[in-house]
């Protein structure tokens, strides 16, 4: 029997590149910085497909601002949920 898995993906957005980190759910979930990816829709979609193939459920959060909202709209158009967060 496969274990259900869930991951939370955080994007720190900019005009040319996005920094990406993931946190696995659960008390023992691992937190990892994945690095930077290009900000283009193709690179983002490639990352999302890779994560969706690895985890049962993927949650996204984005930095508020012009680039974060742009990324949210891109993901929303592809029918994936997300949360836009203000800077802390």
């Amino acid at each position: 029997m496969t274990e259900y898995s869930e991951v939370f993906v955080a994007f720190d957005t900019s005009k040319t590149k996005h920094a990406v980190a993931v946190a696995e759910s659960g008390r023992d979930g691992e937190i990892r910085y994945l690095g930077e990816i290009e900000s283009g829709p193709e690179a983002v979609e490639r990352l999302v497909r890779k994560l969706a193939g690895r985890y049962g459920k993927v949650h996204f959060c984005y930095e508020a601002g012009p680039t974060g909202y742009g990324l949210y709209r891109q993901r929303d158009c592809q029918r994936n949920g997300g949360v836009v967060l203000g800077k802390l």
Side-chain angles (χ1 to χ4, degrees), residues 8-29:
F8 299 86
V9 183
F11 287 92
D12 183 9
T13 59
S14 75
K15 195 172 188 177
T16 58
K17 292 192 180 266
H18 300 319
V20 183
V22 296
E24 295 175 345
S25 66
R27 190 165 267 231
D28 297 326

Side-chain angles (χ1 to χ4, degrees), residues 5-70:
S5 61
E6 186 173 28
V7 70
F8 299 86
V9 183
F11 287 92
D12 183 9
T13 59
S14 75
K15 195 172 188 177
T16 58
K17 292 192 180 266
H18 300 319
V20 183
V22 296
E24 295 175 345
S25 66
R27 190 165 267 231
D28 297 326
E30 187 178 350
I31 300 170
R32 293 184 311 279
Y33 174 67
L34 297 182
E36 291 185 340
I37 63 168
E38 295 295 320
S39 62
E42 301 84 16
V44 173
E45 184 58 30
R46 190 170 41 251
L47 174 70
V48 170
R49 277 196 311 270
K50 181 178 178 182
L51 292 171
R54 189 175 295 168
Y55 297 96
K57 189 162 188 172
V58 183
H59 302 277
F60 300 95
C61 62
Y62 316 90
E63 179 183 11
T67 54
Y69 283 113

